[in-house]
Amino acid sequence: MNFNHKALFPETDNIELLNHQVVTKRDLLNFGNLLLNEIKNTKTTDTSTKQWLKSAEVRNILKISPGTLQNLRINGTLKYKRIGGIIYYNYEDIIKMLEK
């Protein structure tokens, strides 16, 4: 992950000047915000590309408890597949359920 120095230090035109400057709290705050944005962007692209999700991932996406997820399975609201001891949910089925 490469950051543009202008994004971190907008007041600095020459990157070589950064070699002799002290890091300020504002600099750390800028860096932290950029890092958080990168993490959020990475997280959303990973989740949207997976076709099958485990129970914990579905609970995080829907922000529901394990019991609520179990009720969605029992009453047939949310389809699932059990492979071994692990339950998987199709991402498209989750989207369809939310659109109803």
Side-chain angles (χ1 to χ4, degrees):
M1 169 173 23
N2 295 326
F3 289 114
N4 179 358
H5 80 279
K6 287 297 263 180
L8 286 171
F9 311 105
E11 67 280 351
T12 306
D13 292 326
N14 185 354
I15 195 166
E16 291 300 319
L17 294 175
L18 296 176
N19 292 335
H20 307 289
Q21 292 184 349
V22 177
V23 177
T24 65
K25 289 181 182 180
R26 180 178 172 203
D27 298 333
L28 291 174
L29 184 62
N30 286 341
F31 177 73
N33 288 333
L34 283 172
L35 190 59
L36 282 174
N37 287 335
E38 285 291 323
I39 291 170
K40 286 177 184 176
N41 291 339
T42 303
K43 183 179 176 184
T44 55
T45 55
D46 287 347
T47 304
S48 64
T49 58
K50 290 176 71 172
Q51 181 180 1
W52 293 96
L53 304 171
K54 293 183 180 179
S55 295
E57 295 168 319
V58 174
R59 289 194 325 262
N60 286 336
I61 291 171
L62 299 178
K63 296 186 181 7
I64 59 174
S65 69
T68 303
L69 184 58
Q70 183 178 7
N71 286 335
L72 292 174
R73 283 195 313 265
I74 290 170
N75 64 23
T77 305
L78 186 57
K79 297 178 186 177
Y80 65 96
K81 299 286 183 191
R82 183 183 301 268
I83 301 175
I86 302 173
I87 299 174
Y88 292 96
Y89 304 86
N90 190 331
Y91 184 75
E92 293 176 11
D93 290 340
I94 296 169
I95 300 300
K96 288 177 187 175
M97 181 195 72
L98 292 174
E99 290 174 350
K100 287 183 180 179

